[in-house]
Amino acid sequence: MEALTEEQNELESQGSESSQSINPRWRSLFAFTTRPHLLPLFLALVLSVSSGVVSPVLSYLLGRVFDCFTNFGIGKYGGPELIRNVSKYALGVTGLGVASGVLHAGYFGFWLMFGELQAKGARDSLFGSMLEKDMEWYDMRKDGVEALIQRLQTQIRELQMGTSQPLGFALQSTVTALSALGLALYTAWDLTLITIATIPLAALVLGWISARMQPSIDAQAKELNTASKCANNAFQAIDVVKCFNGQDFETWQYAKAIHRAAKKYLIQAKANALQIGFVRFITLSMFVQGFWYGSHIVITGKKEPGQVLTAFWSCLSALQAVEQILPQILVLEKGRAAGATLQAILTQMDKRRRVIISGQLTPEFCEGDIEVRNVSFRYPSRPDQPALKHASFFFPAGETTFVIGTSGSGKSTLGNLLMRFYEPASGEIFIDGNSLQTLDIAWLRNNITLVQQQSVLFNETIFKNIAFARRDWEKVEKHEVKRSIDTAFLQSTINEFPKGVDTVVGAGGNAMSGGQRQRVAIARANLRDTPILILDEATSALDHISKGMVMDAIREWRRGKTTIIITHDLSQIADNEFAYILDKGVVVQEGYRYALEKGETGPLVAPRRPSVNFPTTKRLTKLSEEVRKPSIESTSSGSCGSTLSVCSHDSLDIQYRPRRQSVFVPGIFSLAKESPEINRRSYFEPFVSPAATGAFAMHRMSGVPDIFTRPSNQSPQLKSAWPLRSRREQKEQDLGDWSLLNELHKRTAGAADRTPGERSTSQASPEQSKTIPLKTTRRQSEDVQGEAPLRIAPIKKILLTVWPTLTWKHRPLLLGGFFCAAVHAAGTPVFSFVFSKLLATFFQPVNREREALKWSLSVLAVGSGDALASFFMHYLLEACGQAWVDNLRIESMKRIIDQPRTWFDKDKNSVAKLTECLDRNAEEMRNLLGRFAGFMFVVVIMLSTAIIWSLIVCWKLTLVGLASAPFIYMITRLYQAVSGKWEGRSNDAGTSAASIFTETFGNIRTVRALTLEAYLHEKYLKATEKAFHVGLRRSLYSGTFYGISDSGIAFATALIFYYGAKVAASRDFTVQNIVTVFSMLLFSIASANSILAFIPQINSSCATATRLLRLANLPHKSSYEHAGHVRLPALGTISFNDISFTYPSRPLGPVLNFLNLELPPHTSIALVGASGSGKSTIASLILGLYPPTSGTLTFDSLAISALHLPSLRSLIAVVPQTPQIFATTIALNIAYAMPERSPLAARANIEHAAEVAGIHAFIASLPRGYNTLIGEGGTGLSGGQAQRIAIARAVARKPMLMVLDEATSALDGESARGIRELVARLREKGVGVLMVTHDREMMRVCERIVVVKEGRVAETGGFEELVLRRGGELRRLLGGA
């Protein structure tokens, strides 16, 4: 027990990457550097050092040129001698430009290559290590696996950025600073020391500021992780978000996390701006003491003016190099933090890898005998709740054995242990007499197939998804797959896809329904045909006829092979089949069914006819033949006309992958009294969404009595914990659950502009519906006509979105930021002018020291103002940049969840890509305003000021200098275009690799069950290799054009020197004027040249900004949902008048065909029919998820098109078959999207709803009760527990109409009976119930049965009336004659 406790503590300490105290060091940037990386790194270092020497050499040449002009100015040189000497040095500058171009191209390209190598190394290492981790490690991720995956992708990108050109640029600038300082010391050591006397103090200040930056980086990463988790959960649960009007809540919750992250980033921005401003002040102020002393040593004859200038220019170059490093500091800091975090995660994963401690035994044959001997187990996320307690089983080879039990009793845990996803805490498991620990894991999983309820498919074709069953899947023949498809009755479905078995199913199989996915999984298991098969609720999404046929096919296929069937459906068990019955992790009964039926207690006691009779074997055989008739080779698509069509269009199934847990709590309705606060309202006064008005709320149904207060003369009548009729009958989800993909085609959000507590009193205003004015493609916004690649928007168009996006609070800050940028830009020409005056003091025969002191103090004043302007420019623009992207993030979030459901099914709109866009893309986008826009504005102002001033001072020299501008502009634009093209390709390749990463680890159980690790690893390595090769080409092209662009500046400098000598020799302008123009143009050109290094980052930011702006420009509140304005106080009679409906993506056959139906208020109605008949589609139309194709749907005689749909939905509560649990507390899951101050969100109401749903006792047994975190990264729940929380969520809203879509599908018999009692009591108290069901007992409690066939009402009436009607449709469906 102590060992278990230590292990649990270790797991908990490893559960959150942010929980560890990580001290990132600079060597963390090289955490993924391996031996093959050393050569590119060495070449990058050598070329960086060499290119760093270019600037000091240029300083030396400038000193020589200035010497020439000084000698000319004092009369030592004549005109011809000046031209000759300057020409010599101008040629030197030209040669230096050529060398500089080569060196810069090399260092730039090799650093980009090194960054690609680090990214590839990190991707490959993480993928390999995560493949080897045990399931406990995944379960203990406190933020959930999905959120972890997104953060890992962001950190890999940050590491790549930190180890590519920013690192090379920083290194080059460091070498430049050191070599320039060395040259200055060599030329005039005493002057240099005096000039840089303040540098040590400055270094200490900068180091202190940098140290204060790291905690805010970590805190920001944590908050961004929370924001990503919010977005990820909302997108995955988009159906629930829409059905419960949760758009406002999700946007508000996301906005809170984003604003918290922004506060942490502003701390970093302020520190970085302070560093830049401080260095700027030090850079300019050093001339005060330097020039005073320089003038002194020239007067005394110790040094020549050229030597003084060389020393000054070298010192200036050194500090400018340091100044240029500072904008990269934040990138480097994030890079080293990312490297340290990734390294810590890998180290953490290396600490315990129990799952890879594989045995060596690989028997030649697997007979299939399984013995589970006295096994106990607790899930790591629920250490206080045992999943299995001293349980023993024996599954003999060649036989079919059933495992049944209540929700959370430990049934699925058995499958997890047999697959060795987890290790038992005690006891042993044997296969064919061999301990599970001694068997090779690959051998084990190749001999056992586990088919789970939530069948996972990969983003491949149907054929390949089935072929994955075999390790040599490349060699699988089509006829083999066809045979497996026949076994799973998939023929009709395959025929309806245009490409047949070559149809790509999408990420997670989202192009298929739940029933279709289950059949593909069964077909895959059939092709795999291992000696041992475990079916864990593997047919739960099929209707009873299809389920019967599939089960008969499985029995035939598995004859003589070991098969374990985990189910709630007792009707699946034949009299001569063995069953184990679990309760709270303990085997309470075992035996053959006929023997268990003779006992006194248990679920199989007192056998009666099953709740739904399957057809006879003879009839099933005939039906099976009919279903098998269509050929798989056919590609024609037919309508869903037949009752037994395996094409279903009508499911409200909401995707959720339940996590099985061990604790079972009986679903007993122990009802508590309501609090006075809640009694002030009718218990069934519906929850008004944030979009509804207070006036509307007052008119809501206020006279309905509280049906949950137990009458004094009535008892719950719960006699047995094991009712006979607990079959897990699923709705019409058989193969065609297309409604989940299509029903919400034009659905948009209800009220996504306000916080949850606000209420809307009018329709969307023009302000709410505005879009950001960016157009990148003609079809950029809706993205419904095609999948054309999104063209990257130019930076100008992107930046034009800043002003309309910012609020009035930030617009003055933006203006202030650019005003400070203008002041900062003017500082360089002013400094150049003052600097030229300082240089002119060397020509003055008298008052030289006094003039030098005056102009030195002028430099100090300029430096102080410039430093202050630089600080505010950087900070204000960073603050505005953060506000800009935050507003776009929130706007994007609001618009994303407003999109129709089919929008999310596109590959480009997958959950992973959307989350990445809001996270990493937004972070990079901020740099456009925060770092680059201000810099470019400064360069434009600086160049404009310098050119105008230079034209005034010496127009001839200025015009000649400007003659080179077209050439420089042309090569710079070419460099920008080439870099942008390859940045886009590189980003796309990286995104493709990230999607495989997400698919693999988001479905890690299925990957391991099918032993697909090797295939996906190879697929991922190919994707990263492709991304790497694209990155190499990017390095080559970007490096080459960067070198050409850089050398162009040197050629322009040489031209200015040469023509300046010509002008000076002609005596048209004074030497002082020429030196002034030199200073202005050279300083300005140097500043403009430094922007070249940012072009790859600018292009990358533009690419990511385009993606985010596409989301921010999605249509909002423009669909049919926002056309109506009438708010109903009550639902009234719901009438379908000649309603026809066809799903947009399945236009060949209507789901509803001139349907006429009336649903009176306060009535319980069961919708019954075969798969594809249109039952769930009726419920979907009632919720307004789709408008009818034709006909009229009215509520209380008002057409649905005239109604305000969010308020309509607030009158209805939906319980889907597959529940969606949010990553938050149990209380907030039940009170999802309710305003905090609403009485419905009160704890008393939440607990009351939980009692009604039969989940209160389970919640109370948890250590933190209703504050227990569940969902992704929280405590795991079984399917039944999650279902009951979904029921509590619906009950807590007190709706006028409850839509129960197979609400008992994941519940055991006792809990299902509790739900039937709930429906009965709802019926008694006048609350409407619309139930989609196949279950006889659920039908029995309803007042009216509506049988739907082929999109029309086949018959309607009471249950007893219809079930006794000879030849009736209901009788036929229930297996009668």
Side-chain angles (χ1 to χ4, degrees):
M1 187 66 186
E2 291 180 1
L4 180 63
T5 304
E6 291 177 4
E7 182 179 284
Q8 179 63 31
N9 291 337
E10 180 185 1
L11 280 170
E12 289 179 353
S13 67
Q14 295 173 0
S16 175
E17 290 67 44
S18 60
S19 67
Q20 297 186 18
S21 178
I22 299 174
N23 183 23
R25 301 180 183 276
W26 288 112
R27 66 169 178 264
S28 299
L29 288 171
F30 306 96
F32 297 93
T33 303
T34 59
R35 186 179 295 274
H37 303 171
L38 294 180
L39 179 59
L41 177 59
F42 174 75
L43 292 174
L45 290 171
V46 170
L47 290 170
S48 295
V49 171
S50 301
S51 61
V53 178
V54 169
S55 184
V57 174
L58 181 61
S59 298
Y60 171 79
L61 293 175
L62 290 177
R64 299 303 93 205
V65 170
F66 181 71
D67 254 346
C68 293
F69 279 96
T70 301
N71 290 332
F72 177 76
I74 62 178
K76 284 187 178 182
Y77 283 170
E81 191 174 2
L82 172 66
I83 294 174
R84 185 171 61 253
N85 288 333
V86 170
S87 299
K88 178 177 63 176
Y89 293 121
L91 287 175
V93 172
T94 303
L96 184 65
V98 174
S100 174
V102 173
L103 293 173
H104 280 79
Y107 104 82
F108 199 83
F110 277 111
W111 278 115
L112 286 176
M113 180 190 299
F114 182 70
E116 293 288 347
L117 286 168
Q118 297 311 289
K120 186 177 187 302
R123 290 178 180 131
D124 294 350
S125 297
L126 285 167
F127 195 93
S129 294
M130 289 179 68
L131 271 184
E132 296 175 346
K133 283 307 297 179
D134 53 31
M135 292 306 302
E136 294 180 3
W137 185 86
Y138 289 94
D139 289 346
M140 292 304 294
R141 300 306 92 199
K142 291 184 179 178
D143 292 320
V145 175
E146 295 288 344
L148 172 64
I149 291 171
Q150 293 304 319
R151 287 308 303 163
L152 288 179
Q153 299 306 317
T154 300
Q155 287 168 337
I156 289 172
R157 178 63 178 175
E158 289 175 350
L159 176 64
Q160 180 181 358
M161 290 293 294
T163 53
S164 54
Q165 73 268 20
L167 180 58
F169 190 67
L171 180 62
Q172 181 211 28
S173 297
T174 301
V175 173
T176 297
L178 294 176
S179 55
L181 194 59
L183 177 61
L185 289 169
Y186 173 78
T187 305
W189 66 268
D190 49 349
L191 174 62
T192 302
L193 291 178
I194 291 176
T195 303
I196 65 171
T198 56
I199 296 300
L201 177 62
L204 290 175
V205 173
L206 292 177
W208 180 82
I209 296 174
S210 181
R212 303 282 79 76
M213 199 183 298
Q214 188 59 47
S216 62
I217 292 177
D218 296 336
Q220 185 206 11
K222 182 179 179 181
E223 296 298 346
L224 285 176
N225 194 37
T226 301
S228 293
K229 188 175 178 180
C230 292
N232 191 73
N233 287 337
F235 301 153
Q236 286 188 330
I238 188 63
D239 299 340
V240 173
V241 171
K242 289 176 176 291
C243 286
F244 285 89
N245 287 331
Q247 295 93 332
D248 281 357
F249 176 77
E250 294 296 341
T251 304
W252 172 71
Q253 185 174 235
Y254 178 76
K256 285 200 305 180
I258 285 298
H259 289 148
R260 290 195 301 268
K263 291 180 180 179
K264 304 302 181 183
Y265 180 77
L266 290 182
I267 297 174
Q268 304 167 41
K270 186 180 294 183
N272 192 239
L274 188 60
Q275 287 179 323
I276 294 172
F278 184 71
V279 170
R280 189 70 179 170
F281 175 75
I282 293 295
T283 301
L284 300 183
S285 65
M286 70 179 186
F287 285 92
V288 176
Q289 69 270 22
F291 250 101
W292 170 81
Y293 185 74
S295 178
H296 170 72
I297 59 177
V298 169
I299 292 172
T300 58
K302 293 181 180 179
K303 296 291 181 182
E304 295 293 328
Q307 292 176 306
V308 172
L309 179 61
T310 298
F312 271 135
W313 196 272
S314 297
C315 290
L316 183 62
S317 297
L319 288 183
Q320 280 184 331
V322 173
E323 188 179 10
Q324 289 171 354
I325 293 174
L326 295 179
Q328 309 291 350
I329 286 293
L330 203 52
V331 177
L332 297 177
E333 289 280 3
K334 284 180 174 287
R336 72 167 179 164
T341 301
L342 294 173
Q343 189 178 29
I345 293 172
L346 282 173
T347 301
Q348 177 197 93
M349 287 191 288
D350 289 338
K351 286 183 178 179
R352 54 189 307 276
R353 302 189 181 199
R354 290 194 313 175
V355 77
I356 65 167
I357 303 176
S358 175
Q360 303 299 316
L361 190 61
T362 56
E364 186 175 356
F365 300 105
C366 178
E367 298 294 336
D369 263 325
I370 303 173
E371 182 182 0
V372 179
R373 189 181 299 169
N374 202 31
V375 164
S376 295
F377 175 73
R378 300 168 186 259
Y379 282 99
S381 60
R382 291 258 302 278
D384 55 321
Q385 299 288 345
L388 288 176
K389 294 188 292 187
H390 306 291
S392 296
F393 306 85
F394 178 68
F395 303 100
E399 294 189 15
T400 296
T401 308
F402 285 79
V403 178
I404 60 177
T406 56
S407 303
S409 61
K411 303 184 301 296
S412 295
T413 301
L414 178 62
N416 290 332
L417 293 177
L418 288 174
M419 294 299 295
R420 211 176 162 194
F421 291 156
Y422 303 93
E423 302 288 351
S426 63
E428 283 191 275
I429 301 175
F430 299 89
I431 293 181
D432 295 341
N434 300 307
S435 173
L436 210 63
Q437 309 293 330
T438 65
L439 293 171
D440 178 75
I441 288 181
W443 180 92
L444 177 72
R445 291 176 182 166
N446 281 316
N447 282 278
I448 302 178
T449 298
L450 172 64
V451 181
Q452 296 175 306
Q453 178 179 359
Q454 298 302 315
S455 304
V456 173
L457 303 184
F458 299 94
N459 191 16
E460 303 282 1
T461 64
I462 296 173
F463 179 88
K464 188 175 286 189
N465 266 286
I466 296 174
F468 279 155
R470 298 240 295 260
R471 301 188 70 177
D472 58 343
W473 60 268
E474 302 96 332
K475 300 179 181 179
V476 173
E477 300 290 339
K478 209 159 193 175
H479 67 86
E480 297 177 279
V481 172
K482 182 183 185 304
R483 185 170 57 247
S484 297
I485 287 173
D486 287 343
T487 301
F489 297 94
L490 263 173
Q491 306 96 318
S492 299
T493 297
I494 298 296
N495 291 341
E496 292 179 4
F497 289 108
K499 294 184 179 180
V501 292
D502 295 321
T503 301
V504 176
V505 301
N510 59 22
M512 305 187 82
S513 70
Q516 290 170 332
R517 288 196 295 271
Q518 283 196 339
R519 292 200 180 200
V520 171
I522 291 171
R524 183 164 60 197
N526 175 263
L527 181 63
R528 189 175 174 85
D529 200 18
T530 52
I532 300 171
L533 173 66
I534 305 171
L535 299 176
D536 188 357
E537 298 287 1
T539 59
S540 61
L542 306 181
D543 64 74
H544 67 273
I545 294 179
S546 299
K547 184 186 299 184
M549 292 190 298
V550 170
M551 284 301 300
D552 277 3
I554 290 174
R555 282 188 172 92
E556 177 68 24
W557 153 41
R558 295 298 298 175
R559 184 177 291 124
K561 299 174 184 176
T562 305
T563 306
I564 302 172
I565 300 178
I566 298 169
T567 184
H568 286 119
D569 190 351
L570 305 182
S571 66
Q572 293 185 14
I573 309 174
D575 286 344
N576 62 343
E577 288 177 324
F578 198 90
Y580 287 95
I581 302 173
L582 281 173
D583 184 17
K584 299 181 181 179
V586 177
V587 178
V588 294
Q589 284 184 308
E590 61 180 279
Y592 291 97
R593 174 166 184 155
Y594 67 81
L596 294 175
E597 287 177 343
K598 297 175 182 179
E600 297 182 358
T601 60
L604 296 173
V605 171
R608 295 177 291 172
R609 186 178 68 175
S611 59
V612 177
N613 285 339
F614 286 108
T616 63
T617 303
K618 180 178 179 181
R619 185 178 172 215
L620 267 181
T621 303
K622 182 179 178 181
L623 293 175
S624 299
E625 291 173 356
E626 292 177 4
V627 174
R628 294 178 191 270
K629 281 181 182 178
S631 170
I632 186 176
E633 307 298 334
S634 171
T635 57
S636 63
S637 300
S639 65
C640 302
S642 170
T643 303
L644 289 171
S645 170
V646 288
C647 165
S648 170
H649 303 268
D650 53 346
S651 169
L652 283 173
D653 184 21
I654 296 175
Q655 305 297 320
Y656 172 65
R657 186 178 301 108
R659 295 177 61 183
R660 301 282 181 173
Q661 293 294 328
S662 60
V663 178
F664 162 71
V665 180
I668 299 174
F669 287 71
S670 53
L671 309 179
K673 294 182 179 180
E674 293 185 354
S675 66
E677 178 185 13
I678 296 179
N679 276 328
R680 283 197 293 268
R681 299 175 48 158
S682 162
Y683 196 94
F684 273 90
E685 181 179 344
F687 163 59
V688 184
S689 73
T693 62
F696 173 61
M698 294 176 63
H699 289 84
R700 301 290 297 274
M701 191 176 182
S702 58
V704 181
D706 179 6
I707 62 105
F708 292 115
T709 303
R710 182 184 300 163
S712 57
N713 61 347
Q714 186 177 359
S715 65
Q717 302 293 324
L718 299 178
K719 298 180 181 179
S720 171
W722 293 99
L724 171 69
R725 299 183 179 95
S726 63
R727 291 198 49 165
R728 186 182 175 88
E729 304 266 78
Q730 300 297 337
K731 63 179 182 178
E732 59 281 11
Q733 217 175 346
D734 170 33
L735 291 175
D737 191 12
W738 277 94
S739 60
L740 181 62
L741 308 177
N742 304 319
E743 283 176 307
L744 306 176
H745 178 60
K746 295 180 180 178
R747 181 176 184 179
T748 52
D753 288 318
R754 298 164 299 280
T755 60
E758 295 180 282
R759 305 216 172 161
S760 170
T761 57
S762 64
Q763 67 184 60
S765 67
E767 175 67 22
Q768 293 169 329
S769 301
K770 72 178 182 181
T771 60
I772 309 301
L774 173 73
K775 295 182 180 179
T776 57
T777 62
R778 280 180 291 182
R779 294 181 297 187
Q780 172 224 343
S781 296
E782 297 196 47
D783 198 22
V784 294
Q785 300 296 328
E787 297 287 344
L790 193 65
R791 182 170 59 87
I792 297 176
I795 188 172
K796 178 182 176 182
K797 286 189 176 180
I798 294 173
L799 291 177
L800 286 176
T801 67
V802 173
W803 183 262
T805 304
L806 292 180
T807 63
W808 283 107
K809 173 185 176 181
H810 287 96
R811 287 178 180 178
L813 300 182
L814 181 67
L815 295 176
F818 278 106
F819 173 77
C820 291
V823 173
H824 174 57
T828 297
V830 172
F831 171 76
S832 302
F833 172 76
V834 177
F835 185 67
S836 66
K837 292 296 183 181
L838 273 172
L839 295 179
T841 59
F842 293 120
F843 311 140
Q844 294 181 5
V846 295
N847 297 327
R848 184 178 294 177
E849 290 189 39
R850 186 166 57 85
E851 288 295 312
L853 180 60
K854 181 181 73 173
W855 290 112
S856 294
L857 292 174
S858 299
V859 167
L860 180 63
V862 172
S864 300
D866 193 26
L868 199 61
S870 180
F871 167 77
F872 281 108
M873 176 193 79
H874 284 90
Y875 179 68
L876 292 178
L877 290 182
E878 285 280 15
C880 291
Q882 185 67 50
W884 175 45
V885 297
D886 284 351
N887 289 340
L888 286 176
R889 276 169 159 160
I890 296 168
E891 185 70 19
S892 297
M893 181 72 177
K894 180 173 67 176
R895 290 173 185 266
I896 287 170
I897 58 179
D898 191 52
Q899 298 309 298
R901 180 60 180 85
T902 50
W903 184 87
F904 292 87
D905 297 329
K906 297 178 183 291
D907 182 61
K908 66 189 295 184
N909 300 326
S910 66
V911 172
K913 291 179 180 179
L914 293 175
T915 307
E916 179 188 36
C917 190
L918 293 179
D919 186 7
R920 177 177 72 81
N921 290 2
E923 286 295 290
E924 289 192 29
M925 180 183 181
R926 180 188 56 231
N927 294 332
L928 288 176
L929 179 59
R931 293 177 58 198
F932 306 134
F935 194 38
M936 290 186 290
F937 180 76
V938 166
V939 168
V940 170
I941 297 295
M942 187 186 301
L943 284 175
S944 302
T945 305
I947 290 170
I948 294 172
W949 201 330
S950 297
L951 284 170
I952 295 172
V953 175
C954 181
W955 62 271
K956 281 187 177 181
L957 179 58
T958 305
L959 289 178
V960 170
L962 291 177
S964 61
F967 168 73
I968 296 175
Y969 176 78
M970 180 185 67
I971 59 176
T972 302
R973 290 290 294 174
L974 186 61
Y975 166 49
Q976 184 181 16
V978 170
S979 176
K981 173 185 175 181
W982 285 100
E983 282 291 336
R985 292 186 178 183
S986 182
N987 284 338
D988 291 342
T991 300
S992 297
S995 66
I996 300 173
F997 194 102
T998 302
E999 183 179 42
T1000 301
F1001 296 109
N1003 305 312
I1004 186 63
R1005 289 178 187 269
T1006 303
V1007 169
R1008 287 187 170 160
L1010 296 173
T1011 62
L1012 288 175
E1013 294 95 335
Y1015 165 74
L1016 289 170
H1017 200 178
E1018 181 182 359
K1019 182 180 179 181
Y1020 185 72
L1021 290 178
K1022 287 180 179 178
T1024 58
E1025 191 69 24
K1026 179 182 177 182
F1028 175 65
H1029 284 296
V1030 171
L1032 285 184
R1033 298 179 71 181
R1034 175 178 73 113
S1035 305
L1036 174 63
Y1037 292 117
S1038 296
T1040 300
F1041 283 94
Y1042 174 69
I1044 295 172
S1045 301
D1046 183 79
S1047 61
I1049 303 297
F1051 300 151
T1053 302
L1055 176 63
I1056 292 172
F1057 283 162
Y1058 172 75
Y1059 193 73
K1062 296 276 289 183
V1063 172
S1066 67
R1067 306 287 181 176
D1068 291 339
F1069 296 92
T1070 65
V1071 172
Q1072 182 177 345
N1073 288 341
I1074 293 172
V1075 170
T1076 299
V1077 173
F1078 277 171
S1079 299
M1080 290 185 179
L1081 291 183
L1082 292 180
F1083 273 115
S1084 300
I1085 288 173
S1087 297
N1089 185 42
S1090 60
I1091 203 172
L1092 293 176
F1094 293 112
I1095 285 181
Q1097 297 177 58
I1098 292 173
N1099 286 328
S1100 179
S1101 296
C1102 286
T1104 55
T1106 303
R1107 292 183 174 92
L1108 183 60
L1109 286 168
R1110 176 183 77 90
L1111 300 179
N1113 279 274
L1114 290 169
H1116 184 234
K1117 294 191 175 183
S1118 59
S1119 73
Y1120 74 95
E1121 288 192 347
H1122 303 283
H1125 312 296
V1126 178
R1127 302 171 186 266
L1128 288 176
L1131 289 175
T1133 299
I1134 303 173
S1135 300
F1136 290 76
N1137 302 309
D1138 290 329
I1139 292 291
S1140 293
F1141 178 76
T1142 303
Y1143 286 101
S1145 60
R1146 300 290 296 276
L1148 296 180
V1151 181
L1152 299 180
N1153 193 11
F1154 297 102
L1155 175 79
N1156 288 284
L1157 174 66
E1158 282 199 356
L1159 304 176
H1162 321 306
T1163 306
S1164 57
I1165 300 172
L1167 291 177
V1168 182
S1171 298
S1173 59
K1175 305 181 301 298
S1176 293
T1177 300
I1178 293 173
S1180 299
L1181 294 180
I1182 290 174
L1183 284 164
L1185 304 182
Y1186 259 124
T1189 304
S1190 64
T1192 306
L1193 172 60
T1194 63
F1195 291 78
D1196 201 16
S1197 301
L1198 290 173
I1200 191 173
S1201 58
L1203 300 179
H1204 182 249
L1205 287 182
S1207 61
L1208 173 67
R1209 290 174 185 153
S1210 69
L1211 300 171
I1212 306 169
V1214 180
V1215 180
Q1217 178 185 3
T1218 306
Q1220 179 65 56
I1221 300 300
F1222 293 90
T1224 184
T1225 64
I1226 294 176
L1228 291 179
N1229 262 283
I1230 295 175
Y1232 175 71
M1234 293 182 183
E1236 291 183 8
R1237 297 182 180 179
S1238 168
L1240 299 177
R1243 176 56 64 91
N1245 184 45
I1246 293 171
E1247 292 182 4
H1248 204 184
E1251 288 176 351
V1252 169
I1255 193 68
H1256 174 74
F1258 164 74
I1259 298 172
S1261 70
L1262 298 173
R1264 300 189 63 189
Y1266 284 84
N1267 294 323
T1268 301
L1269 290 173
I1270 57 176
E1272 182 74 19
T1275 298
L1277 300 175
S1278 71
Q1281 290 161 349
Q1283 189 82 62
R1284 282 178 278 180
I1285 287 179
I1287 294 170
R1289 181 187 296 153
V1291 169
R1293 280 167 159 69
K1294 304 179 183 178
M1296 292 183 178
L1297 174 66
M1298 287 190 70
V1299 178
L1300 303 175
D1301 191 5
E1302 284 292 351
T1304 60
S1305 62
L1307 301 183
D1308 56 82
E1310 180 183 353
S1311 298
R1313 187 173 66 168
I1315 300 305
R1316 291 196 294 272
E1317 291 186 5
L1318 167 65
V1319 172
R1321 296 176 68 188
L1322 290 171
R1323 182 190 65 189
E1324 292 172 4
K1325 301 302 181 181
V1327 177
V1329 177
L1330 182 64
M1331 183 182 303
V1332 178
T1333 184
H1334 290 115
D1335 186 88
R1336 175 191 289 263
E1337 297 306 315
M1338 293 300 289
M1339 299 176 199
R1340 194 187 297 276
V1341 298
C1342 293
E1343 298 172 85
R1344 181 182 171 199
I1345 308 297
V1346 175
V1347 182
V1348 182
K1349 180 179 180 181
E1350 298 180 6
R1352 299 186 181 188
V1353 176
E1355 60 182 6
T1356 183
F1359 176 78
E1360 298 298 336
E1361 171 194 350
L1362 296 182
V1363 81
L1364 295 176
R1365 179 180 296 174
R1366 183 166 296 278
E1369 187 64 22
L1370 180 63
R1371 184 181 178 90
R1372 187 190 68 81
L1373 287 172
L1374 296 181

